[in-house]
């Protein structure tokens, strides 16, 4: 049986709910539809420890799989600083605060004509 993947907005909401459930910190949604061809949204969130990052990544994975849209890949499970969950139209970046400050993804993706992003 083939199930239809969730829409980008539904995937975004699913990921945000999973992150909220596990108390993600400083969650930001970046709308990259006019800047990238590989995704519609990026979600950047901080975690308090490597275990917290892994738990959040696992929850996003479980919830997406249950909804019929399992992640295409998960990277960095062993890095302890940054885990990326690729949901296709939504990319979830889970980082320790110091790693997030170093790479400044929000600043990087705010460059250009469409600077809109929302914090939750």
């Amino acid at each position: 049986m083939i199930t239809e993947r969730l829409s980008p907005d539904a995937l975004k909401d699913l990921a945000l709910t999973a992150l909220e459930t596990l108390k993600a910190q400083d969650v930001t949604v970046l709308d990259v539809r006019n800047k990238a061809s590989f995704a519609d949204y990026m979600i950047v969130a901080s975690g308090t420890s490597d275990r917290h990052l892994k738990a959040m990544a696992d929850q996003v994975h479980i919830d997406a799989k249950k909804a019929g849209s399992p992640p295409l890949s998960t990277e960095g499970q062993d890095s302890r600083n940054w885990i990326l969950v690729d949901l296709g139209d939504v990319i979830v970046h889970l980082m320790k605060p110091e790693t997030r400050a170093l790479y400044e993804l929000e600043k990087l993706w705010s460059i250009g004509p469409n600077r809109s992003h929302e914090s939750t």
Side-chain angles (χ1 to χ4, degrees), residues 22 39 51 62-63 70 100 109 111 115:
L22 289 178
R51 291 178 65 159
I62 290 166
D63 291 356
R100 189 170 176 176
W109 284 99
I111 297 171
R115 293 186 169 189

Side-chain angles (χ1 to χ4, degrees), residues 78-93:
D78 298 327
S79 77
R80 303 195 185 281
N81 292 313
W82 184 350
I83 299 175
L84 181 146
V85 182
D86 183 352
L87 298 173
D89 294 319
V90 177
I91 309 295
V92 181
H93 296 273

